[in-house]
Amino acid sequence: MKQLKCQFPLRNYEIVAILTEKINVVDVKRWVYKTVNTLQSSKGWEVCAASLGKRKLAYEIEYCKTGHYIQIYFSSIPHYLAYFLETLKDDPDVLKYILVRRPRNNKRGH
């Protein structure tokens, strides 16, 4: 029997975002909730978010010396990432972010 390939493969991703020091912990939680909902509306599955806390930055970004680090694991079809990344770029609370594609066999369980 011939095995069919999926036209749109589901891939695993990880995002680490640094939020500005000017927002408080409650606003960080709101941002995470809003971002997870945006991801899910952008065809994101298996979303798992964690706050890594407020840390000192290696160098100043937009006059900020510290930032709130947020780590988000999710699965998505690559085609749908563009809209989500545009929302991160336009968000005034996000100083920097990085998107990394994770391998399929992740032993960490995320």
Side-chain angles (χ1 to χ4, degrees):
M1 179 184 269
K2 190 174 183 179
Q3 190 175 23
L4 297 174
K5 284 190 173 184
C6 181
Q7 185 178 3
F8 300 108
L10 197 62
R11 299 212 170 116
N12 298 326
Y13 295 97
E14 173 184 356
I15 288 182
V16 175
I18 303 173
L19 305 181
T20 181
E21 65 187 2
K22 298 171 185 164
I23 61 174
N24 59 26
V25 177
V26 174
D27 291 335
V28 169
K29 289 180 182 180
R30 279 192 200 122
W31 183 89
V32 169
Y33 182 76
K34 178 185 77 165
T35 304
V36 167
N37 284 338
T38 304
L39 247 175
Q40 289 173 338
S41 68
S42 301
K43 307 295 185 200
W45 291 275
E46 301 173 4
V47 180
C48 175
S51 174
L52 302 177
K54 191 173 186 179
R55 297 181 182 190
K56 184 178 176 187
L57 301 174
Y59 55 91
E60 282 189 18
I61 304 171
E62 297 179 15
Y63 304 105
C64 292
K65 294 182 180 181
T66 61
H68 299 276
Y69 283 70
I70 307 296
Q71 190 172 32
I72 303 172
Y73 295 102
F74 65 98
S75 298
S76 179
I77 297 170
H79 174 75
Y80 293 112
L81 285 178
Y83 171 75
F84 176 67
L85 294 178
E86 282 297 318
T87 60
L88 283 180
K89 283 181 190 175
D90 295 339
D91 194 333
D93 293 329
V94 177
L95 296 175
K96 292 266 185 190
Y97 70 90
I98 185 168
L99 173 73
V100 179
R101 184 173 162 202
R102 297 183 311 146
R104 288 183 186 230
N105 299 352
N106 190 0
K107 297 187 181 156
R108 291 176 52 182
H110 293 282

